[in-house]
Amino acid sequence: MARRLTCPYCYETFGPRDIQFRCTSRLSRTQKRCARSRDQVLADRTGQRAEVGPAFRADGRRPTALCPECDDETAYRICPVCRSTLPVEFGMVENRMIAMVGAKASGKTVYMTVLLHEMMNRAGAAYGASLMGADDATMLRYGSDYQDNLYRDGQMFPGTRTAVANDHRVEPLVFRLGLRRPGLFGPRLRHTVLSFFDTAGEDFNSRESVELNTRYLANADGVILLLDPLQMPGARQLALPGTALPGSEGVDAPVNVLGRVTNTLLAPGRDRSAGKVNTPVAVVFSKLDAFWHLLDTGSPLRRHRPPGERFDEEDSLSVHEEVRQLLKDWDGVPIDQILENSYARHRYFGVSALGRSPTGDARVAATGIQPYRVADPLLWLLKESGALPAGPGRGRG
Ligand SMILES: Nc1nc2c(ncn2[C@@H]2O[C@H](COP(=O)(O)OP(=O)(O)O)[C@@H](O)[C@H]2O)c(=O)[nH]1
Ligand SMILES: [Mg+2]
Ligand SMILES: [Zn+2]
Ligand SMILES: [Zn+2]
């Protein structure tokens, strides 16, 4: 079967040959210049309204093409469906889509912001990894809409707009991750394109947006399912006094969110093995800071990940077991049953993006942002898909 590529912006699939090009609209060697104008397909699909050079078809397997109008060479390769400019080396390097789902106020936007910040800084350095925005729009949007809001202004986020309210768009953030891999002549940097999107939890309720989410989820290489223990009745009452509690009106219980995601992924024609969902799913419990006071000092959820460049399978499995035990105290056993019955590969994680509850007026606490284990789920997903070497103590999975 011909190799299929998935656009990191719209998650539609196409063959390498179908990649199109966009003219640079610079003065060409034949003294012509293609006019810039709004690309209506790009505007409708992505919301980008800037004036750009004309799109044209050529052999998408090549890195460059000559514009039929002005004869200038262009290296801007674009998605044939949404016409977004594809990342450098797209189709030549690995491409991994990470979908993030979770109910309203489960902490998706805060988590994504902190995770990416950590990967660009500390956690990235610990794994010999470097992360940067794959395109100008991502860099601008990550900087101004996410990072500045949380790290510079110390503010929480307004609710994520639903895809329906956003003209059926989800606008993923696309990054290039460089990872040092051992090679014949010493370590080599290998690039992987990572695409993250943050859905509004309600998107799984409305019929209209199910189709959109199905495409994103079904074409994802890994899913981060963020579940908020503060939205589980059995856990909410155990939270550290003073924790900012999410409203409970119109919020879906984590088990229902998991049920919807599972139905989507189990739909006919999806990637399954023996009737189970094959996509690796990192089941991440957020806001762990609200529960630390209940854990033994020896709990794996109170220590930090062991140092070293590899993903530590043994440490990860002990966290997995600890979360499974916690689920019993939180009345979360049905969650575990759904995962066991329907997923070939799933693992539990416990994280705290902020390290403690925000203040009553929705600001970062005075002690600052102290992330806990935020990179673990991403590193596991990368390991599952072979982008990251597995560490010592390989258990199952
Ligand atoms: N205690 C605690 N609360 C958090 C943490 N992350 C997020 N929150 C709270 O959860 C709220 C919703 O987070 P947000 O990321 O906007 O949720 P989203 O709707 O899933 O995108 C925030 O305003 C915070 O009050 C965390 O690490 N610890
Ligand atoms: Mg949000
Ligand atoms: Zn041209
Ligand atoms: Zn696209």
Side-chain angles (χ1 to χ4, degrees):
M1 201 180 78
R3 200 161 63 100
R4 300 294 287 174
L5 300 169
T6 305
C7 170
Y9 298 93
C10 69
Y11 286 48
E12 298 276 7
T13 59
F14 44 85
R17 190 194 296 263
D18 303 327
I19 292 175
Q20 297 183 8
F21 293 84
R22 187 180 298 291
C23 178
T24 58
S25 82
R26 281 191 303 248
L27 191 62
S28 77
R29 52 189 177 170
T30 54
Q31 304 299 309
K32 287 188 212 153
R33 189 198 298 268
C34 284
R36 290 172 183 264
S37 62
R38 177 186 298 174
D39 182 330
Q40 202 55 49
V41 175
L42 184 69
D44 289 346
R45 285 270 188 168
T46 70
Q48 290 175 51
R49 295 172 185 285
E51 302 208 315
V52 289
F56 63 93
R57 285 170 205 276
D59 184 351
R61 292 168 302 183
R62 298 184 175 276
T64 61
L66 293 179
C67 172
E69 293 299 319
C70 69
D71 206 32
D72 203 23
E73 187 175 49
T74 179
Y76 295 146
R77 298 185 310 143
I78 61 175
C79 165
V81 183
C82 72
R83 301 223 186 130
S84 293
T85 305
L86 295 166
V88 190
E89 296 182 297
F90 176 83
M92 298 159 219
V93 299
E94 286 172 273
N95 200 25
R96 295 227 156 67
M97 318 292 167
I98 309 287
M100 178 138 55
V101 289
K104 188 157 87 178
S106 54
K108 296 180 299 296
T109 306
V110 169
Y111 174 66
M112 186 170 82
T113 306
V114 173
L115 169 63
L116 294 170
H117 189 267
E118 284 288 293
M119 287 306 290
M120 287 188 227
N121 299 284
R122 277 192 302 167
Y127 281 94
S130 59
L131 185 78
M132 48 180 211
D135 57 84
D136 295 347
T138 291
M139 277 188 289
L140 278 172
R141 212 150 56 82
Y142 176 70
S144 63
D145 295 359
Y146 294 87
Q147 189 168 252
D148 286 355
N149 183 72
L150 190 67
Y151 283 86
R152 190 192 64 195
D153 307 335
Q155 282 171 357
M156 297 300 121
F157 298 91
T160 302
R161 275 198 295 174
T162 67
V164 170
N166 200 25
D167 277 345
H168 296 87
R169 287 190 259 109
V170 277
E171 305 179 66
L173 291 169
V174 181
F175 290 84
R176 270 162 61 86
L177 177 71
L179 281 169
R180 263 205 314 267
R181 296 297 306 263
L184 211 50
F185 305 103
R188 291 192 321 131
L189 202 61
R190 276 221 333 219
H191 281 101
T192 302
V193 173
L194 291 179
S195 168
F196 290 92
F197 74 95
D198 173 6
T199 46
E202 314 84 286
D203 278 348
F204 284 85
N205 303 350
S206 101
R207 235 211 147 78
E208 273 185 288
S209 52
V210 164
E211 192 200 334
L212 180 83
N213 276 291
T214 302
R215 185 174 80 237
Y216 276 81
L217 274 183
N219 288 328
D221 300 291
V223 174
I224 294 179
L225 177 64
L226 205 65
L227 300 179
D228 182 356
L230 298 174
Q231 295 175 355
M232 299 170 64
R236 192 177 167 98
Q237 60 194 27
L238 303 172
L240 185 70
T243 300
L245 292 175
S248 47
E249 204 177 311
V251 170
D252 229 357
V255 66
N256 295 340
V257 176
L258 175 61
R260 286 212 181 76
V261 168
T262 307
N263 289 339
T264 306
L265 288 171
L266 277 177
R270 304 288 163 225
D271 182 20
R272 279 184 289 179
S273 67
K276 293 186 176 184
V277 177
N278 215 6
T279 314
V281 177
V283 184
V284 183
F285 288 90
S286 61
K287 311 183 188 179
L288 203 67
D289 52 274
F291 300 94
W292 275 326
H293 65 292
L294 299 169
L295 301 177
D296 290 343
T297 44
S299 165
L301 282 175
R302 290 188 63 171
R303 58 171 193 253
H304 280 268
R305 65 166 277 269
E309 278 197 15
R310 303 191 141 227
F311 179 82
D312 195 318
E313 185 70 13
E314 211 169 305
D315 171 61
S316 172
L317 284 172
S318 60
V319 166
H320 176 83
E321 275 311 316
E322 178 79 348
V323 174
R324 254 167 72 100
Q325 293 308 314
L326 277 175
L327 276 179
K328 293 182 184 158
D329 301 338
W330 294 347
D331 301 330
V333 173
I335 292 179
D336 195 51
Q337 281 164 349
I338 297 180
L339 289 164
E340 279 297 330
N341 293 337
S342 307
Y343 291 86
R345 291 188 281 172
H346 72 275
R347 183 151 309 166
Y348 292 124
F349 297 86
V351 304
S352 170
L354 299 173
R356 65 184 296 173
S357 176
T359 61
D361 59 348
R363 300 187 59 80
V364 169
T367 44
I369 298 169
Q370 295 173 341
Y372 176 75
R373 285 194 184 268
V374 291
D376 292 13
L378 173 65
L379 296 167
W380 177 72
L381 289 173
L382 290 174
K383 194 216 73 175
E384 280 298 295
S385 60
L388 195 77
R394 292 186 70 153
R396 54 155 211 238

